[in-house]
């Protein structure tokens, strides 16, 4: 062996040894093992994808991985539009599988839970409309990865009153990390998978602030989303990506050992899948739950109560009293845990193992974070206790008085507009006009049919009221079309909001201020005086290509 070659080999070996030593020295500590929890404290994973849409493994694979990670339940939330009938709850490998769906909207992604059946039309489009549809179907909606560094995944509708929000999303935490930190985490993953994943978690201050702002307005549950796909691919996961994985990592079991959602029950699970699923979903919906980053310490338990006026309330509840209220939070282990109590999003007191505060002021919302030394992300985050006022009313803001100058009462002025592959006809009937439509078949490619009414610019109004019904439940879009530039120039801005249409007549009122501009457009403010058409549109946002039906408009 020549001297240069020998030198190269020695240098290479030295560098490799240094890299291995560095990886070993920087290896995150193993998760601490704590005392077992009682059977009334259960742990599960929220927001999980399978190979039906977005993930790499089957539902059975997910259940087996959850069993290996000692979980009691998993909420599967494959990408979709809610037109698939939800699978009934079932036990697989001793783990309760609860089916949900992640819906894409123009304002971000929503996880819809507790749906009672399949939607008769595709959910999606406007975020407010999607939440309305989820509620109509008996479910509730959680804003997923609301502050993802990837713009297409972030939640952009702060005024939409969702039922829940992810304060932590495991799939989003890596997206803002530097390449060097990610490479080191990959090396650590080979030794301690869950701990390596959690090592790149930071305290998600923006998401926590978002939750605090929402909680000041109404009771909103906060959950930690595992968002497990068990795949790394060239494409972003969506409702159509069933393949394309380069490697099936991080694995489901590794993700399930990273972050979990704890639920405190009044009695152990009965192993009746439907009954147990109802209890778990109700507990989550009402905030009787807390998140645990189990890669730091496992299993993890916290107590959090508010006592006053002879009444004691726990996490997820409200306490109405004019007397002072004592809030107390604590953990029995580990001994070096710091418990911090937050009032309206601001830390007010903390202490080793316990924090206590006496509330004797205006109404407030309290929650708890438990921290472990050496970690940026909180180990435990509880849901809130509301003190001083009952749950705020959830009714929407009433519409302002209308400035309608004249009704659109000339049926003969309505005309049909349609996509070249679609068909539509208008018929004047006793109650107004009837639009019969059939969208063009094939893949969704802009198919639509619409009834359009001309506007002159003399109409000054801020609401639109109509009575509508359809041959089948559906959604249609009310749109105002505004030309750009010189009079007669090509239309460049459309403002829209969808409306639910049932088989029975419904009178609906839409506020123009709630309409959203359809991209692409430079318009930022709707000038109704420039609008030249009002349309009711059936398109592929909410209707399958090839579908047909009728809408009656008064």
């Amino acid at each position: 062996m020549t001297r240069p070659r020998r030198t190269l080999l020695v240098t290479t070996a030295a560098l490799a040894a240094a890299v291995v030593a560095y990886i070993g020295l920087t290896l995150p500590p193993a998760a601490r093992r704590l005392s077992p929890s009682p059977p009334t404290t259960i742990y599960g994973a929220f927001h999980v994808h399978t190979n039906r849409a977005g993930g790499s493994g089957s539902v059975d694979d997910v259940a087996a991985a959850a069993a290996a990670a000692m979980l009691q339940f998993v909420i599967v939330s494959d990408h979709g539009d809610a037109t698939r009938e939800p699978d009934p709850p079932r036990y697989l490998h001793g783990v309760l599988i609860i089916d949900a769906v992640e819906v894409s909207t123009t304002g971000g992604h929503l996880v819809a839970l507790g749906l009672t059946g399949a939607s008769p039309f595709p959910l999606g489009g406007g975020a407010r409309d999607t939440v309305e549809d989820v509620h109509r179907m008996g479910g509730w909606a959680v804003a997923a990865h609301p502050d993802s560094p990837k713009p297409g995944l972030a939640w952009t509708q702060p005024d939409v009153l969702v039922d829940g929000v992810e304060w932590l999303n495991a799939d989003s935490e890596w997206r803002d990390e530097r390449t060097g930190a990610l490479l080191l985490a990959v090396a650590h993953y080979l030794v301690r998978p869950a701990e390596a994943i959690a090592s790149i978690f930071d305290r998600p201050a923006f998401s926590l602030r978002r939750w605090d702002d929402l909680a000041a307005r109404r009771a909103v549950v906060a959950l930690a989303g595992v968002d497990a796909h068990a795949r790394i691919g060239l494409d972003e996961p969506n409702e159509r990506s069933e393949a394309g994985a380069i490697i099936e990592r991080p694995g489901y079991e590794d993700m399930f050992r990273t972050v979990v959602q704890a639920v405190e029950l009044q009695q152990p699970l009965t192993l009746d899948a439907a009954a147990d699923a109802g209890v778990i979903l109700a507990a989550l919906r009402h905030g009787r739950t807390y998140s645990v980053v189990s890669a730091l310490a496992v299993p993890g338990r916290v107590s959090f109560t508010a006592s006053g006026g002879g009444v004691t309330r726990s996490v997820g509840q409200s306490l109405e009293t004019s007397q002072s209220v004592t809030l107390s939070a604590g953990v029995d282990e580990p001994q070096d845990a710091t418990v911090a109590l937050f009032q309206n999003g601001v830390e007010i007191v903390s202490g080793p193992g316990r924090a206590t505060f006496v509330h004797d002021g205006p109404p407030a919302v309290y929650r708890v974070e438990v921290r472990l030394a050496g970690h940026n992300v909180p180990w435990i985050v509880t849901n809130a206790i509301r003190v001083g006022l009952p749950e705020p009313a959830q009714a929407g803001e009433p519409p302002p008085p209308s400035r309608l100058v004249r009704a659109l009462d000339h049926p003969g002025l309505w005309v049909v507009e349609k996509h070249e592959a679609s068909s539509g006809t208008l018929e004047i009937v006793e109650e107004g006009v009837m639009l019969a439509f059939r969208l063009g078949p094939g893949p969704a490619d802009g198919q639509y049919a619409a009834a359009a009414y001309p506007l002159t610019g003399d109409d000054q109004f801020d609401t639109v009221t109509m009575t509508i019904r359809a041959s089948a439940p559906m959604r249609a879009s009310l749109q105002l079309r505004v030309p750009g530039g010189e009079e007669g120039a090509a239309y460049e801005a459309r403002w829209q909001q969808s409306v639910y249409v049932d088989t029975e007549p419904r009178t609906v009122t839409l506020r123009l201020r709630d309409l959203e501009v359809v991209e692409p457009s430079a318009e930022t403010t709707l000038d109704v005086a420039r609008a030249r058409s009002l349309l009711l549109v059936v398109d592929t946002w909410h209707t399958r290509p090839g579908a047909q039906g009728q809408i009656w408009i008064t």
Side-chain angles (χ1 to χ4, degrees), residues 322-365:
S322 58
Q323 303 180 28
S324 61
V325 174
T326 299
L327 293 113
S328 179
V331 294
D332 293 331
E333 55 179 339
Q335 297 298 317
D336 60 343
T338 298
V339 178
L341 186 62
F342 286 72
Q343 180 192 68
N344 299 330
V346 178
E347 184 176 336
I348 52 173
V349 63
S350 65
R354 180 159 298 277
T356 303
F357 178 76
V358 177
H359 168 97
D360 194 15
V365 179

Side-chain angles (χ1 to χ4, degrees), residues 208-223:
L208 289 168
R209 171 50 61 186
R210 181 191 293 271
W211 173 36
D212 289 328
D213 291 343
L214 286 169
R217 302 162 62 184
R218 60 180 297 209
V220 176
V221 62
L223 303 173

Side-chain angles (χ1 to χ4, degrees), residues 222-246:
L223 303 173
V226 180
D227 207 357
H229 298 83
R231 68 188 290 278
I232 297 175
L234 298 176
D235 59 326
E236 280 289 346
N238 57 58
E239 58 267 31
R240 297 179 179 86
S241 63
E242 299 181 3
I246 298 174

Side-chain angles (χ1 to χ4, degrees), residues 172-536:
S172 295
E173 286 298 307
W174 65 268
R175 295 179 182 272
D176 59 354
E177 295 294 325
R178 295 181 181 274
T179 302
L182 289 176
L183 291 175
L184 183 60
V186 169
H188 291 160
Y189 178 85
L190 300 175
V191 183
R192 290 178 181 158
E195 292 87 342
I197 296 169
S199 70
I200 60 175
F201 288 2
D202 295 311
R203 185 178 186 275
F206 289 115
S207 295
L208 289 168
R209 171 50 61 186
R210 181 191 293 271
W211 173 36
D212 289 328
D213 291 343
L214 286 169
R217 302 162 62 184
R218 60 180 297 209
V220 176
V221 62
L223 303 173
V226 180
D227 207 357
H229 298 83
R231 68 188 290 278
I232 297 175
L234 298 176
D235 59 326
E236 280 289 346
N238 57 58
E239 58 267 31
R240 297 179 179 86
S241 63
E242 299 181 3
I246 298 174
I247 183 173
E248 295 181 0
R249 290 290 184 273
Y252 288 115
E253 182 180 344
D254 300 333
M255 296 299 292
F256 294 160
R257 293 184 182 277
T258 302
V259 59
V260 298
Q261 201 63 38
V263 177
E264 298 283 356
L265 304 176
Q266 294 183 345
Q267 60 184 18
L269 294 174
T270 65
L271 300 185
D272 179 319
D276 290 345
V279 169
I280 292 171
L281 287 176
L284 295 174
R285 171 66 183 91
H286 295 97
R288 298 192 295 271
T289 180
Y290 51 89
S291 308
V292 182
V293 181
S294 48
L296 307 186
V298 63
R301 294 191 70 206
V302 62
S303 65
F304 179 32
T305 60
S307 301
V311 178
T312 297
R313 294 287 185 261
S314 59
V315 62
Q317 296 181 317
S318 299
L319 178 58
E320 296 180 67
T321 179
S322 58
Q323 303 180 28
S324 61
V325 174
T326 299
L327 293 113
S328 179
V331 294
D332 293 331
E333 55 179 339
Q335 297 298 317
D336 60 343
T338 298
V339 178
L341 186 62
F342 286 72
Q343 180 192 68
N344 299 330
V346 178
E347 184 176 336
I348 52 173
V349 63
S350 65
R354 180 159 298 277
T356 303
F357 178 76
V358 177
H359 168 97
D360 194 15
V365 179
Y366 294 91
R367 62 177 180 83
V368 170
E369 294 182 17
V370 183
R371 300 188 288 258
L372 298 182
H375 299 283
N376 294 327
V377 67
W379 173 44
I380 294 178
V381 172
T382 74
N383 270 274
I385 298 179
R386 310 176 68 88
V387 176
L389 281 178
E391 166 67 6
Q394 298 181 9
E397 181 183 352
S402 174
R403 299 195 302 269
L404 183 64
V405 174
R406 67 174 176 82
L408 307 185
D409 53 2
H410 299 284
L413 294 181
W414 287 93
V415 297
V416 170
E417 296 186 7
K418 64 182 184 65
H419 175 265
E420 59 183 7
S422 304
S423 63
T425 60
L426 277 173
E427 180 182 344
I428 299 176
V429 294
E430 181 178 354
E431 56 195 288
V433 295
M434 185 269 287
L435 170 67
F437 65 89
R438 182 185 184 114
L439 299 189
D445 188 29
Q447 297 96 317
Y448 78 94
Y453 195 94
L455 299 177
T456 65
D458 297 328
D459 302 295
Q460 294 296 310
F461 56 95
D462 52 23
T463 63
V464 174
T465 298
M466 67 180 80
T467 299
I468 52 178
R469 66 182 178 92
S471 53
M474 62 181 301
R475 267 196 179 272
S477 294
L478 175 79
Q479 297 185 6
L480 285 180
R481 191 165 52 188
V482 180
E486 300 292 333
E487 183 69 24
Y491 294 115
E492 69 171 20
R494 287 181 294 122
W495 297 75
Q496 73 171 9
Q497 182 183 350
S498 71
V499 59
Y500 173 69
V501 189
D502 209 336
T503 55
E504 295 296 323
R506 297 179 67 242
T507 298
V508 297
T509 296
L510 303 180
R511 301 175 294 187
L512 298 191
R513 74 181 192 183
D514 291 333
L515 270 61
E516 298 178 350
V517 67
V518 181
E519 60 179 4
S521 174
E523 301 280 347
T524 57
T525 304
L526 171 60
D527 182 1
V528 69
R530 293 175 50 221
R532 292 296 178 265
S533 297
L534 182 146
L535 305 92
L536 193 68

